[in-house]
Amino acid sequence: QVQLVESGGGLVQAGDSLRLTCAVSGRTSSSGTVGWFRRAPGKEREFVSAIRWSGSSTYYTDSVKGRFTISRENAKNTVYLQMNSLKPEDTAEYYCAAGFGHTIVIVGTPRAYDYWGQGTQVTVSS
């Protein structure tokens, strides 16, 4: 089993920054992927970013490229999502998701992930 705990959400103004944290614990493996998804009110869940547990590759949806950075701190088994130049349209509940023991080919597919965190709210005011 794997447990994911997100933190770092909050209320900010447009142009501000936030760093989300996903603490990963439990049975991980080198062949894993951790992703961030978000769901805005009345909208479908949306892929934001992902990183291979090995740290070898990162992925972003087009709307956040150049503004968001995903990274991993090995010693702490933690994945970060640094969000800069936030926009009101970034407002959503953000979820950390993970899959271990298999390679997720299409990282933007929610059902490919086995474990999910409880979510953290990000609100960006204009």
Side-chain angles (χ1 to χ4, degrees), residues 11-125:
L11 171 63
V12 297
Q13 293 185 331
D16 286 351
S17 298
L18 277 175
R19 188 178 77 163
L20 303 184
T21 298
C22 176
V24 182
S25 61
R27 192 171 182 175
T28 63
S29 69
S30 58
S31 59
T33 305
V34 176
W36 285 96
F37 291 78
R38 65 187 180 187
R39 176 177 282 155
K43 294 188 177 181
E44 296 290 321
R45 183 168 44 185
E46 174 190 28
F47 169 74
V48 178
S49 182
I51 186 168
R52 300 298 185 190
W53 195 238
S54 64
S56 58
S57 299
T58 58
Y59 308 85
Y60 300 93
T61 191
D62 286 346
S63 63
V64 307
K65 283 180 182 177
R67 300 189 298 123
F68 290 12
T69 303
I70 192 169
S71 62
R72 184 195 161 201
E73 186 170 353
N74 291 1
K76 294 185 178 181
N77 271 5
T78 299
V79 173
Y80 303 103
L81 185 67
Q82 177 67 42
M83 306 187 295
N84 298 331
S85 302
L86 282 162
K87 304 176 181 179
E89 50 264 43
D90 294 317
T91 295
E93 187 84 5
Y94 283 71
Y95 297 89
C96 178
F100 289 100
H102 59 95
T103 299
I104 296 176
V105 176
I106 304 177
V107 296
T109 304
R111 64 177 180 272
Y113 294 81
D114 306 306
Y115 307 100
W116 290 82
Q118 82 286 354
T120 185
Q121 177 68 36
V122 172
T123 303
V124 185
S125 64

